[in-house]
Amino acid sequence: MSDSQPQKFTIVGGGLGGALMAVYLGQAGYDVEVYEMRPDMRGGNVPGGRSINLALSHRGIVALQRVGLAEDILKTAVPMRGRMIHETNATLTFQRYGKDDTHVIYSVSRGGLNVLLLEAAGRLPNVKLFFNKKCTNVRLDTGVVELLDMKTNEKSTVDGGIVVSADGAFSAVRRPMLKLDRFDYRQDYLKHGFKELVIPPDSQGSFQMAPNALHIWPRKSFMMIALPNEDGSYTCTLFWPFDGPHSFDALQTKEDVARYFQEHFPDAVPLMPTLTEDYFTNPSSSLCTVRCGPWYYRDKVVLLGDAAHAVVPFYGQGMNASFEDVLVLCECIEQYKPDWEKAFRTYYHTRKEHVDILADLAISNFIEMRDHTGSKMFRLKKKTEKLLSQLLPFWYMPLYTMTTHTRMPYGDAIKRAKHQKRVVTMTAITTLVIVVGTILRSLLT
Ligand SMILES: Cc1cc2nc3c(=O)[nH]c(=O)nc-3n(C[C@H](O)[C@H](O)[C@H](O)COP(=O)(O)OP(=O)(O)OC[C@H]3O[C@@H](n4cnc5c(N)ncnc54)[C@H](O)[C@@H]3O)c2cc1C
């Protein structure tokens, strides 16, 4: 490092993105301090997270590979080869994600992954981790971070050097930035929230459903999904409106829950022995999209992950995009240091357009998952996409493949998908016109 580099990066938030950023910066030789408001998860102290497992895919894996962590993480992950659709009459249909096992996504434990990242960061001599330390404010001009100790209630301040905000969708670091001239900010809640439920392993400790699939119970205005865990269980997530006739609000008693699940998810009910208890014990949480910008303040503060761009979880890309942020931000730092502001500006302009598109994709995929995955039309569309990608592998790639199994920027993927669709539609119409024309001509002559 040159003398002009700062002595220190301060990362606020030791979640998925923050812990990975600490590993990147630590390996690059910077002094790093991480302040996390929750207790230390290492040593088995994993709290009940918002989402117990997550789908890890190509973008996240590449970011983990760069710091040598992908292999260890994938050892504990369960590969998912496609969607398993559960209809109300208990019919099952498996829809493979790609042509073969090169196109799988991985179900990973959120807590397990976070612990692994914190352990990797903690092994680096120049990275210091602090827990139970909540950031309450950042003085933007000086980079001073104000902290509250969650155990003792003591207040303190640290000179942050460069402050990296990795403190999630409701970021405290971002808060003072909202008062800056020309800082854009927008948050949109979905009418739907989510609740986690569980399908435990059977008495032999084995999976009760096909293990290598993401299970979906699409029911038009709502849905349930289940991802497998290494221990043979599944984490189910019910996505439902907060109020109305089909909503969290509508089920007030254990009998209501048992009746409703029997009607809409009959094949899942026998696999969920603690359903009614879990339903009332586990919280119903909201889902929010956050768009803001710019994601930096001079050479002092930079935002990443959900703090910069929270998206709803239906494309399985929030964490993957956070990990890709870390990768791109560190590439920019490497390229432009010690011009930190230029590094942050370039990172922001490289990412912003694309994560905005991801936010839109994630919302539209919710509609696709809950309304269409069970339909014949959807299956036909997926088969056609697969056929086209096999017949024309250098030209045609389904949108899902581009976003999930490549690092093509999200905006470029959607542009290419629209172009492919236009060409396929025009070709289909032209072929139809030629066929109909030929038939008519032969009838008339
Ligand atoms: C139901 C659900 C399912 C999801 N499924 C997927 C999926 O399958 N695939 C995928 O890629 N993504 C998924 N996501 C999205 C993913 O969880 C997030 O995008 C990802 O966790 C973002 O990482 P992050 O580090 O930016 O934020 P977070 O993981 O939220 O971490 C923020 C950290 O900052 C800490 N913190 C917060 N405030 C402060 C403060 N003031 N001071 C100090 N510390 C603070 C928090 O305790 C936390 O540890 C899902 C999200 C949800 C809600």
Side-chain angles (χ1 to χ4, degrees), residues 12-18 35-38 50-51 53-56 110 114 133-136 166-172 194 196 227 237 239 287 304-307 311 313 316-322:
V12 177
L16 299 172
Y35 291 91
E36 164 58 47
M37 71 177 189
R38 289 183 303 190
R50 280 182 310 166
S51 151
N53 54 21
L54 301 160
L56 173 68
R110 174 192 277 273
N114 209 156
K133 297 281 186 193
K134 180 178 181 173
C135 166
T136 51
D167 50 344
F170 303 100
S171 167
F194 71 95
E196 275 157 3
L227 272 70
T237 314
F239 294 101
L287 292 165
L304 66 79
D306 281 10
V311 298
Q317 283 293 307
M319 164 190 66
N320 289 288
S322 297

Side-chain angles (χ1 to χ4, degrees), residues 6 17 69 71 87 91 101 110 119 129 143 145 197 205 218 224 243 260 287 337 346 355 377 380 399 410:
L69 293 175
E71 210 178 301
E87 290 177 29
T91 307
D101 280 357
R110 174 192 277 273
E119 284 173 348
L129 305 173
V145 180
L197 299 167
M224 183 164 79
D243 34 44
Y260 202 88
L287 292 165
K337 67 182 179 187
T346 310
V355 292
M377 202 58 199
L380 183 68
L399 177 61
Y410 298 109

Side-chain angles (χ1 to χ4, degrees), residues 416-434:
R416 180 166 161 181
K418 281 182 182 162
H419 172 71
Q420 292 175 168
K421 192 174 171 187
R422 261 196 313 274
V423 174
V424 170
T425 311
M426 285 312 293
T427 311
I429 292 171
T430 311
T431 312
L432 191 69
V433 169
I434 292 171

Side-chain angles (χ1 to χ4, degrees), residues 241-255:
F242 279 104
D243 34 44
H246 295 272
S247 70
F248 290 119
D249 194 38
L251 304 189
Q252 294 295 333
T253 65
K254 287 186 175 180
E255 292 70 35

